[in-house]
Amino acid sequence: MREPHVRGSRPSDIYVIMDQGLREQDRKELDAMGVNAEETLRHGLKNSDECLTVVVDSVPVAMFGVVRHTDISGIVWFLGTDGLFNISRQFLRESKHWLNHISKGYLLVGNIVHVENTISIRWLQWLGFTFLARQGDFIEFARIN
């Protein structure tokens, strides 16, 4: 396996990720929100300050970024495929660095996560997010930078 890396996202990354299929928990979360995965990735690519792609063996396996919400806050997002499981140690090691990178310029970043998305909830806790309130099947989370 070639060294995984992160680079600026390209529109073609969306098609590759959609062809692979999102992680089951990400797909279920988007379904519960009533949003389309491809449209969500397009929105993230278009509206994030910097949209980034995780690449493994020349194949995009995840996209992430922050979409500005207010002058001081942003909506952080991350969608990935099962290809992330092949690089789980490196992914965890580098997650905090990339979160800090995309969060620059924001006092607060956050979003919501489905209560059944246990892998993401543990990862968000590890990244230092605080869980604020439950809204139906979703939990609001945030981090002050």
Side-chain angles (χ1 to χ4, degrees), residues 5-10 12-13 51-55 58-60 98:
H5 64 280
V6 174
R7 61 158 169 77
S9 296
R10 306 170 184 149
S12 60
D13 295 345
C51 188
L52 298 169
T53 296
V54 179
V55 179
S58 302
V59 178
W98 288 108

Side-chain angles (χ1 to χ4, degrees), residues 72-74 76 99-100 103-111 127-132 141-145:
I72 62 168
S73 68
V76 65
L99 175 60
N100 290 336
S103 298
K104 285 181 184 165
Y106 293 98
L107 177 61
L108 176 82
V109 291
N111 203 336
L127 287 171
F129 283 94
T130 300
F131 293 88
L132 304 172
F141 65 88
R143 186 181 96 149
I144 296 174
N145 293 322

Side-chain angles (χ1 to χ4, degrees), residues 27-86:
R27 192 179 75 264
K28 285 181 177 180
E29 188 171 274
L30 292 175
D31 288 347
M33 289 179 187
V35 297
N36 175 281
E38 185 176 343
E39 289 174 15
T40 300
L41 289 168
R42 285 185 190 287
H43 177 80
L45 178 63
K46 179 182 178 187
N47 296 296
S48 293
D49 290 340
E50 180 179 22
C51 188
L52 298 169
T53 296
V54 179
V55 179
V56 177
D57 288 333
S58 302
V59 178
V61 297
M63 290 174 66
F64 63 100
V66 177
V67 174
R68 185 162 299 280
H69 181 65
T70 69
D71 287 345
I72 62 168
S73 68
I75 300 168
V76 65
W77 64 275
F78 185 100
L79 292 172
T81 70
D82 286 341
L84 286 170
F85 296 120
N86 298 327

